[in-house]
Amino acid sequence: MAKRVSCGLDFVSPADITNALQIATESKYDFAALPIAHPRHKRDFSGNSQARRLTAFTRADLILNSSDWSTLIVGKISPHVDLDHEDKLLRQESEKVLEQELSFAGHLGLPAVLVPLRKNNTNFARFLHNKVLSSPLNQARYHVWLHLPMISPKIEASQFERDVDEEEVDDTWHWWNNFRITANFEKKLSLALELTADLPDAEDIDRWLGEPIKCLVVPTHLFMTNKKGFPVLPKSHQVAIRQFLRQKTQILITGAQRHQHYKHYQQYIEHLWQVGYESDPVMQFAQGYEDFLQFPLQPLMDNLESQTYEVFEKDPVKYTEYQRAMYLAILDKVPLEEKDTKVITLMVVGAGRGPLVRAALTAAEKADRRIRVYAVEKNPNAIVTLQCLADEEWGDRVTIVSCDMRDWDAPEKADILVSELLGSFGDNELSPECLDGAQKFLKDDGISIPSSYTSFLGPIQSSKLFNEVRSCRERDKPYFTSFEMSYVVHFRNRTELADPQALFTFTHPNREMPIDNSRYEVRHFPIKCDSMLHGFAGYFETVLYKDVMLSINPATHSPGMFSWFPVLFPIQNPISLKKGDVLEIHFWRCVNRTHVWYEWCVTKPLGSAIHNPLGRSHNIGL
Amino acid sequence: MAKRVSCGLDFVSPADITNALQIATESKYDFAALPIAHPRHKRDFSGNSQARRLTAFTRADLILNSSDWSTLIVGKISPHVDLDHEDKLLRQESEKVLEQELSFAGHLGLPAVLVPLRKNNTNFARFLHNKVLSSPLNQARYHVWLHLPMISPKIEASQFERDVDEEEVDDTWHWWNNFRITANFEKKLSLALELTADLPDAEDIDRWLGEPIKCLVVPTHLFMTNKKGFPVLPKSHQVAIRQFLRQKTQILITGAQRHQHYKHYQQYIEHLWQVGYESDPVMQFAQGYEDFLQFPLQPLMDNLESQTYEVFEKDPVKYTEYQRAMYLAILDKVPLEEKDTKVITLMVVGAGRGPLVRAALTAAEKADRRIRVYAVEKNPNAIVTLQCLADEEWGDRVTIVSCDMRDWDAPEKADILVSELLGSFGDNELSPECLDGAQKFLKDDGISIPSSYTSFLGPIQSSKLFNEVRSCRERDKPYFTSFEMSYVVHFRNRTELADPQALFTFTHPNREMPIDNSRYEVRHFPIKCDSMLHGFAGYFETVLYKDVMLSINPATHSPGMFSWFPVLFPIQNPISLKKGDVLEIHFWRCVNRTHVWYEWCVTKPLGSAIHNPLGRSHNIGL
């Protein structure tokens, strides 16, 4: 089986860099972390600038070839660097040291630089942010890994006598949060999080999982020794590491060699990954799509492509459940005593390339009842496929209708109306508007499958997604545009800040007079932990018929179903939240003659401007 | 004396609009407030949309001519309109009523519309924001005046049994604050604030003074009756009204006529203005510049124009104080016994058109001492004026040097070095860098005037200035640019959220080795009241010599001096603050070989991104 984990070995102060690299590669590590400044060279920045000795602070770049520097070495900044020291001279010396070492890292073409993150870091954040910003586009642009412990040494030392006020100050997540706010969430600045002997509780680990952690630092002193003399980690640490490995986090082993050989640590980490890797159809299907922003489909305005149909027809769960719902509905419509005399009418509106037609026929066979099927589809390309299936397979049980369901003048009324018009947020592909139009050819006692659907909304934190949205900015559009869109995303690097709640519900057939599909709801979310709000995740649940449901809401997700990824509603300015805050959000579904769109704003504990007013950045065409 | 106050009269339910307008104009009011919908027409929005009676809900537009509609009438929205009602039907009816009435206000071309603001107003805020946004550029665009009381009826009724939790909810400032956040601080949405019988304390009134209040509503029941039968207000209300009148707020008299004639209320308000108007040179000088953003001068890179010199030479305070400082310095340099033998050298660097040269000569005459003056100036246009003054007036006491002070090879060293290089923020026109260069021709025991200067910084709230900065956006520049500039502004419509604090100090001559004019300071401001942070006001104080000072810091402002307006450092995303919060700000003065710039960020209670990193949006050329 292929090697999956990228694992590095940290050297505190190697006398010989080629030797260190040899140890790392022979032990099957993927990279080595090495100090940028040579430990034996003490630099002197005091006095006036002409006196600086700039030449000999480190090894020459000729020791390794440039491809080794750029793939095998992570540079470490001198640990005494402190840009927020109270003493101005020490602070300025730190700036010069950091400047010099980063400059040399750039010169070498290192892929990443490891820098210790301290409690006070505003000046440091500014410096790094500006450094990354000033780096010209085509130069070697290292990532900065901010190295900090999962629990601060102070909190670890005083588990039983914590001061509440101190807690925030010593919560290392706050160190990071302060840093990134000042550094404007710059995506080249990410984290190297060090596992500690004590682990924080599950919610705090969850929060770290939503942060841009590029590397998990694992000290060798955390390893115990098993009967055979090999290093093993406590169960709790195994669980934590597996969670990070699922996020594709790299591992860096640090500290003295406390067991026979350095290679055993790498082998153990690799073992954790292999054991933890479970085959999961959703995970496989989503491979490569993690945290990738997709624009929602507009199937009403655009015609879907063949490949899109193909992908969605493969869902192992969705059509089975539709079939079960139709089976129950058919049985309810035709009592046993009429099974040979009564023929009911089932219409599939938006039939695509026919998966629901096929499921309907199968359901009728299983129920031992007789049905007549109409397959209505507006996409002329899909009609070709349907007609072919009718001719070759379905025969006269199925009538193909090439027409927009809203315009169709049906020759008779249906007993059962079946559709699959739901988007990731339920109503966001305009299922309500389509079915309201189609129900004119549903009998008064007819059944709609689905019979109802509800969208769900939950607040999330994710620097990763925030940066993805920010970088979606299009040249000619105003800067806020990308924050007023919704996106379909397979979430990975994010934290849920509260449980999702039901938002908008639609029921079919809709006998309201007049029908009003606009909605306006306010929701309140109790926040689980100190955090940054970056937006909202949207999901849906639908009742197909009676107890037959489909769901992408995490709490009730249909196992194995991959047809829908969740939807993301971002907010433009991240909002700081405290544990226990009640977040209030207002959400509108707006409808006019030609379009449907959403608007949203946060009102508590802090307000945001209204997003997507008048659908200016995003709307869905009717 | 000319009429100064714009004063309107409110009619609750006039039977006859022409008659009402006649009453208002005969009583010398400038405008009348009238309901948009005719009170006798009850509208019916129930049922389907075809049934709406859209024709007769109000008077025809033919009653007045269009110029009267657009200058004399403020339209009032029906008071029962409530877009945040819990009942969906009532809410939707309110939306329709508001839509219809605003549409008619636009049709009539009214200058403003008065709308009641309630406690819950998120949907209302969204609706008005979108309405203003959707209004095409060249159409009649009414301002919306949100009408709300200074103290909510509930708080007024229960002064002695207030619940702390309730306080915020019933603080009408919070109603407004919630509204404007959702409405994205849109500048067409402003306030009509109603004076209440009880007034809030001075700090709360201060906060209102920083809000965009277009109109102060004064109910007639607040008026008492004096011995002659005329209406008068209590002292506290007089004070409050005068504060608003200084901001050019309009007045709207509302309520029944409780005295002989409506005109007496207008006369009384006019009287308050006339009595309150004091002649003040700064106020006169600043007329028309209130809250107007100016770009700071760059006198090092650009040459000043003649008109600029002219304006600043008129300052009645600045040169008097410089002269006093020079007088004291000259006396210190030449003891009485040497008054006829010793000639000292005084150099004016950046002499402009010579006001400091003239003040030096006068100071020497008053001190009865002998001086030799060098006037160094880099602007060749100003040199023309200086040479002319030397030839015609000063004679050989003054040597004119046409040269940048940093490049000048002086023939001798000076006893006294005089300059006026300070900007509104002290060092922001690069006085430190210039004087560091010039001090090479100052004797070791020489005196610099000024001898030191300190910048001051204080947090402010101002929707007005926030909007001014936002609308400064230039087409080809990134959206954040205008928020990363500093501006010179004569403040009016803003609230100070904490007392300003000293920030950066520079002393001359500067004997530091090596000289370092970069600065980095952190300041903590205890916040006075619940508020929105929009940016920071910058000021300076300078010690010219010994006890002779100049200051534009509000606490120590030199009376009558108008040469400097304060400076504004905005922040891009307004930050919500609570009374008692400690606001932490980090401020840097950065220096490289060619430029000086400032960077800033807020870190507590909430963080902001670093502003102006690397001086990307604004810097000052050396």
Side-chain angles (χ1 to χ4, degrees), chain B residues 119-273:
Chain B
K119 180 156 63 181
N120 294 318
N121 55 43
T122 303
N123 192 43
F124 180 57
R126 164 185 167 271
F127 187 93
L128 282 179
H129 171 262
N130 294 2
K131 191 77 192 166
V132 167
L133 206 73
S134 68
S135 182
L137 261 169
N138 295 317
Q139 273 207 358
R141 303 224 286 170
Y142 46 82
H143 273 259
V144 174
W145 293 356
L146 299 157
H147 183 189
L148 87 178
M150 205 175 252
I151 287 184
S152 82
K154 194 162 166 193
I155 285 190
E156 235 189 336
S158 62
Q159 282 290 322
F160 300 103
E161 32 183 340
R162 253 189 252 179
D163 182 341
V164 175
D165 277 359
E166 288 292 286
E167 202 164 333
E168 174 170 329
V169 179
D170 287 318
D171 179 350
T172 56
W173 180 84
H174 279 282
W175 305 4
W176 155 243
N177 196 44
N178 293 341
F179 178 93
R180 71 159 153 199
I181 291 171
T182 302
N184 198 18
F185 300 89
E186 170 57 47
K187 69 178 170 183
K188 307 281 287 187
L189 304 172
S190 50
L191 284 171
L193 187 65
E194 181 161 331
L195 267 193
T196 41
D198 286 325
L199 292 178
D201 56 30
E203 266 171 18
D204 284 350
I205 291 185
D206 259 4
R207 186 173 56 180
W208 282 122
L209 286 165
E211 299 295 358
I213 292 172
K214 291 284 175 204
C215 177
L216 193 69
V217 181
V218 183
T220 55
H221 68 77
L222 295 182
F223 286 88
M224 306 176 297
T225 309
N226 72 4
K227 287 180 205 158
K228 295 182 184 168
F230 291 114
V232 291
L233 284 169
K235 193 81 192 168
S236 57
H237 288 68
Q238 292 180 31
V239 171
I241 288 181
R242 282 210 186 100
Q243 289 181 287
F244 284 98
L245 290 180
R246 281 178 73 98
Q247 305 247 22
K248 302 265 175 192
T249 305
Q250 306 184 68
I251 302 290
L252 179 65
I253 299 291
T254 189
Q257 180 181 320
R258 293 164 203 274
H259 296 81
Q260 288 176 356
H261 200 286
Y262 269 126
K263 73 178 176 194
H264 295 142
Y265 302 116
Q266 187 277 332
Q267 285 169 354
Y268 182 75
I269 297 292
E270 188 63 25
H271 161 77
L272 282 184
W273 163 254

Side-chain angles (χ1 to χ4, degrees), chain B residues 296-305 309 349-350 376-380 403-407 420-423 427-438 517 589 591-596 619-622:
Chain B
L297 295 173
Q298 291 232 3
L300 259 190
M301 291 188 67
D302 309 326
N303 284 322
L304 298 185
E305 290 175 8
Y309 287 119
V349 288
V376 185
E377 173 56 46
K378 74 165 174 55
N379 179 357
C403 186
D404 188 311
M405 71 183 84
R406 292 168 295 181
D407 306 327
E420 50 166 337
L421 305 168
L422 299 182
D427 58 87
N428 64 319
E429 293 181 11
L430 309 194
S431 176
E433 285 71 17
C434 291
L435 293 183
D436 290 346
N517 289 326
R589 185 184 199 264
V591 184
N592 70 12
R593 209 174 44 76
T594 55
H595 290 88
V596 173
N619 56 40
I620 312 143
L622 276 166

Side-chain angles (χ1 to χ4, degrees), chain A residues 555-574:
Chain A
T556 57
H557 200 295
S558 307
M561 184 173 71
F562 61 67
S563 282
W564 293 274
F565 292 151
V567 67
L568 169 70
F569 294 96
I571 57 168
Q572 192 187 319
N573 301 319

Side-chain angles (χ1 to χ4, degrees), chain A residues 92 123 126 516 588 590 599, chain B residues 92 123 126 516 588 599:
Chain A
Q92 292 184 325
N123 193 41
R126 164 186 166 270
D516 177 9
W588 292 263
C590 305
E599 302 184 16
Chain B
Q92 290 184 325
N123 192 43
R126 164 185 167 271
D516 177 9
W588 292 263
E599 302 184 16

Side-chain angles (χ1 to χ4, degrees), chain B residues 378-448:
Chain B
K378 74 165 174 55
N379 179 357
N381 308 313
I383 287 290
V384 176
T385 313
L386 284 173
Q387 197 58 59
C388 172
L389 284 165
D391 292 347
E392 299 182 359
E393 197 173 319
W394 300 330
D396 57 7
R397 290 177 297 174
V398 179
T399 308
I400 308 298
V401 180
S402 177
C403 186
D404 188 311
M405 71 183 84
R406 292 168 295 181
D407 306 327
W408 185 37
D409 190 11
E412 61 175 319
K413 287 197 169 187
D415 298 282
I416 302 173
L417 186 68
V418 186
S419 64
E420 50 166 337
L421 305 168
L422 299 182
S424 296
F425 199 50
D427 58 87
N428 64 319
E429 293 181 11
L430 309 194
S431 176
E433 285 71 17
C434 291
L435 293 183
D436 290 346
Q439 72 183 18
K440 64 175 183 284
F441 42 84
L442 180 64
K443 289 180 181 167
D444 286 349
D445 64 347
I447 293 167
S448 170

